Amino acid sequence: MSPEPNPARHDRDSVARSALALLDEVGLADLSMRRIAAGLDVQPSALYWHFANKQELLAELADRITATIPSEPTDVVATARGIRDALFTYRDGAELVLSTYALQLGSSQAQTALADALRTQGAADVEDLSAAILHFVLGHATLVQQRMHADSHGALPDSDDVDVTAGLDRVFELGVTALAGVISAPPTPPRARA
């Protein structure tokens, strides 16, 4: 006769899934081991069976967020867009991935995807270039998420613009193509002097 499964027992996967759900609910600033444990109805110390510390858990969450990035090399802009879209999947996803990347934690799936796309396009200095583009993508996505969050709390100055992210797709694509050295957009006509 086998023992009944204990619903209070969790594994690494259930802890990470719960943490991602909580990230979406409360954001990165309020994502604590204590809150994650409370959501799982366990003591915070139980989480340390699965993750040595909070940084290791955050690195796992970053890896899960970036796991949806297409692995087949495509063009650089499409790859960068795929990374950005993965970051937007979760509230504060960009900030979380940025912070783990800054600490050199977790996988380098995003940079690897960019490097593969750059190689496919025959770019030189692939490693440095993929790092530069990833820095831009992480910064841009963090900026957009912060603006959206501020807008949702009424913290942005009054403006006639309804969409705080209007025009940012164009800025994003211009930034990626400029860094990749493959600008294909028509040049902007010079402004007339007043």
Side-chain angles (χ1 to χ4, degrees), residues 74-81 113-126 128-137 171-184:
T74 59
D75 70 87
V76 177
V77 175
T79 301
R81 203 177 301 118
L114 285 167
D116 290 346
L118 288 163
R119 273 188 207 92
T120 300
Q121 289 185 231
D125 299 321
V126 168
D128 289 342
L129 189 52
S130 63
I133 294 171
L134 182 58
H135 294 176
F136 173 78
V137 172
V171 169
F172 178 80
E173 292 191 11
L174 284 172
V176 171
T177 55
L179 285 167
V182 291
I183 295 180
S184 59

Side-chain angles (χ1 to χ4, degrees), residues 19-146:
L20 277 173
L22 190 58
L23 174 69
D24 245 359
E25 184 182 324
V26 301
L28 185 58
D30 292 325
L31 182 67
S32 67
M33 296 299 263
R34 186 174 305 278
R35 268 203 167 149
I36 296 165
L40 292 169
D41 198 27
V42 297
Q43 292 296 314
S45 59
L47 301 180
Y48 296 101
W49 282 97
H50 309 292
F51 296 95
N53 51 49
K54 184 177 179 182
Q55 288 73 28
E56 185 180 315
L57 173 59
L58 293 179
E60 174 68 21
L61 300 184
D63 286 350
R64 287 172 182 246
I65 290 170
T66 59
T68 61
I69 297 167
S71 58
E72 293 298 315
T74 59
D75 70 87
V76 177
V77 175
T79 301
R81 203 177 301 118
I83 294 167
R84 183 194 62 183
D85 292 348
L87 300 174
F88 287 166
T89 303
Y90 292 94
R91 177 178 172 183
D92 297 337
E95 183 181 353
L96 187 148
V97 173
L98 174 64
S99 66
T100 58
Y101 179 78
L103 297 173
Q104 298 179 328
L105 300 172
S107 73
S108 58
Q109 182 162 344
Q111 188 169 344
T112 299
L114 285 167
D116 290 346
L118 288 163
R119 273 188 207 92
T120 300
Q121 289 185 231
D125 299 321
V126 168
E127 294 308 315
D128 289 342
L129 189 52
S130 63
I133 294 171
L134 182 58
H135 294 176
F136 173 78
V137 172
L138 289 169
H140 187 273
T142 301
L143 172 97
V144 170
Q145 282 191 320
Q146 287 181 354

Side-chain angles (χ1 to χ4, degrees), residues 154-176:
L156 289 179
D158 288 335
S159 173
D160 292 336
D161 296 332
V162 175
D163 183 2
V164 297
T165 61
L168 290 178
D169 279 342
R170 177 154 169 73
V171 169
F172 178 80
E173 292 191 11
L174 284 172
V176 171

